[in-house]
Amino acid sequence: MHRQFTILLLLATVVVSLSFIKQKPKPRKPGTPVSFVVPKGWPAIKYNLDSNGLTKEGIALGRRLFYEGRLSKDGQFPCASCHQPFAAMANFDHNLSHGFNNQFTSRNAPSLANLAWQTAFHWDGGINHLDVQPLAPITAPNEMAEDISTVLDKLKKDSVYPKMFKAAFGSETINTQRMTRALSQFLLTMVSANSKYDKAMRGEDSFNLPQKLGYTIFKAKCASCHPEPFFTDFQYHNNGLSMDPVLKDVGRMQITGDAKDSLKFKTPSLRNVFVTGPYMHDGRVFSLFDVLDHYHKKMVVGPTTDTLLKNKIPLSNFEKGQLVAFLVALTDTAFNKDKRFSEPPNAPPLNFSSPGHHLN
């Protein structure tokens, strides 16, 4: 009897021990958690927050890094030099951005809004993860022209960054993964979903007559490549632009090596399009009316031109005017003036070469 009692006691102890091990809470991640709220009616995001959850400290670090000139070789070209808040994080009025040693970038700087829903980046889709994307401009000789190891050394020698990395990630260790993840956290907060169009869709505002007519025309003639709510299909198309004789940019073909992808570029979002000009992958078109003229009569139809555009897009002058009125309604003023995306306080001054509804 005593033996049976001992065995039962041992079994009970094992069960209790296993239960304790099973229920032991996971170590708390450093930082103050921040929720990512998907705008109503939008699909789930593509970015995996389980691997890099948002925190106030991580976002603050990413914000400072975004404006940090020392990520570039001469200290003059932070990320923000090509992605300006008032231009929806594009490079306002520049077809090609300025880079190190008086060079120019090879493509137009795109807006950085709504990156949480994207799985490929750059005009040719050559980068397949947001965490990796910053490495390309940092190391490009005609952009920031720096070496990653040198960047990390500069950050380690700074009096502020070790403390910020510790607050965001639990220790003062500064490495490539932590640097790019902090940048991703900041970039993920850049959600643009509060334009007049968005308010109209939510019943908070209404289109005027030109915008209403333009929306109808848009859905009939433009929405196949620029579907709502992102106003891009995130795909690659040859939209009838001839190859620039100097840049000689073949687009998606540069990544895939497939001739069928020649002159195909990622569909840009039309959100904030009124403030992100000039347009196209190389910024060769400077007004929205000229963009519409391109599709109406200036396209060069070649072997890889999108089948939807083989006959171009017939547009009357009246239709062009209404379309532009609608496109202006895609401007998210709250996003473009959001102080959370501006240069952080106490940061070194920049030397530029030239709905807030998503966080709790």
Side-chain angles (χ1 to χ4, degrees):
M1 183 71 180
H2 178 71
R3 182 180 180 186
Q4 289 178 335
F5 176 77
T6 302
I7 293 174
L8 289 173
L9 181 62
L10 288 172
L11 288 174
T13 303
V14 171
V15 170
V16 171
S17 299
L18 289 174
S19 176
F20 175 76
I21 294 172
K22 185 177 181 180
Q23 295 177 14
K24 186 178 181 180
K26 294 181 180 179
R28 181 181 174 275
K29 294 182 179 179
T32 308
V34 173
S35 299
F36 188 103
V37 179
V38 177
K40 185 177 180 180
W42 286 30
I45 65 172
K46 300 291 186 179
Y47 188 90
N48 181 13
L49 290 175
D50 290 336
S51 65
N52 186 28
L54 303 183
T55 65
K56 289 183 178 179
E57 294 79 6
I59 294 168
L61 173 58
R63 180 186 180 191
R64 188 178 180 92
L65 289 169
F66 188 82
Y67 285 89
E68 178 56 78
R70 285 173 289 184
L71 267 61
S72 66
K73 190 168 187 176
D74 61 1
Q76 301 301 309
F77 298 97
C79 304
S81 64
C82 292
H83 300 283
Q84 300 158 314
F86 62 87
M89 294 297 170
N91 199 178
F92 182 74
D93 204 31
H94 280 63
N95 56 336
L96 302 174
S97 303
H98 293 264
F100 175 73
N101 198 24
N102 296 316
Q103 297 178 86
F104 287 96
T105 59
S106 57
R107 291 173 178 162
N108 182 255
S111 170
L112 298 182
N114 301 332
L115 299 178
W117 288 269
Q118 301 184 40
T119 57
F121 305 89
H122 294 192
W123 283 97
D124 55 20
I127 303 294
N128 62 7
H129 198 287
L130 184 60
D131 293 358
V132 180
Q133 191 281 328
L135 303 180
I138 289 174
T139 58
N142 62 333
E143 296 188 47
M144 299 164 80
E146 189 53 286
D147 180 84
I148 296 299
S149 61
T150 304
V151 169
L152 297 177
D153 286 340
K154 287 188 280 189
L155 298 181
K156 291 174 184 177
K157 293 175 182 178
D158 185 88
S159 61
V160 174
Y161 280 112
K163 298 175 184 177
M164 294 189 73
F165 273 84
K166 182 177 181 178
F169 297 107
S171 74
E172 293 187 354
T173 300
I174 297 176
N175 56 33
T176 305
Q177 184 186 66
R178 287 184 169 187
M179 179 182 71
T180 60
R181 284 188 172 184
L183 280 166
S184 287
Q185 287 192 43
F186 177 56
L187 293 171
L188 288 168
T189 67
M190 297 179 184
V191 176
S192 179
N194 205 30
S195 65
K196 184 173 183 178
Y197 157 83
D198 296 298
K199 293 175 183 177
M201 295 300 104
R202 297 195 296 259
E204 300 168 6
D205 203 339
S206 59
F207 293 134
N208 59 31
L209 182 57
Q211 292 167 344
K212 185 176 181 180
L213 294 172
Y215 184 35
T216 300
I217 297 167
F218 173 85
K219 288 189 288 185
K221 299 191 176 186
C222 310
S224 56
C225 292
H226 297 278
E228 303 165 69
F230 302 110
F231 291 90
T232 170
D233 59 2
F234 301 117
Q235 299 302 310
Y236 308 90
H237 302 277
N238 177 343
N239 68 341
L241 287 174
S242 59
M243 181 185 291
D244 184 284
V246 176
L247 297 175
K248 296 181 180 179
D249 193 342
V250 297
R252 180 70 173 161
M253 178 181 167
Q254 182 173 307
I255 303 302
T256 66
D258 190 339
K260 294 179 181 179
D261 289 328
S262 176
L263 300 179
K264 290 184 178 181
F265 296 90
K266 189 177 182 181
T267 306
S269 173
L270 297 181
R271 284 185 169 274
N272 294 297
V273 68
F274 189 67
V275 299
T276 57
Y279 308 104
M280 307 299 182
H281 68 277
D282 52 12
R284 69 176 71 180
V285 183
F286 275 79
S287 80
L288 290 175
F289 283 103
D290 287 338
V291 170
L292 298 177
D293 277 345
H294 165 76
Y295 289 110
H296 174 53
K297 59 185 178 182
K298 295 181 180 179
M299 287 179 54
V300 177
V301 179
T304 64
T305 303
D306 195 283
T307 55
L308 294 171
L309 299 172
K310 291 290 187 180
N311 297 317
K312 304 178 183 177
I313 302 178
L315 291 167
S316 67
N317 287 336
F318 175 80
E319 289 176 315
K320 293 175 187 176
Q322 311 313 298
L323 270 173
V324 169
F326 170 68
L327 293 175
V328 171
L330 296 179
T331 304
D332 186 348
T333 304
F335 176 77
N336 299 330
K337 293 184 177 181
D338 196 326
K339 293 182 179 180
R340 292 174 302 170
F341 308 143
S342 63
E343 185 180 7
N346 304 318
L350 291 180
N351 183 2
F352 286 114
S353 61
S354 44
H357 291 301
H358 50 284
L359 298 179
N360 286 343

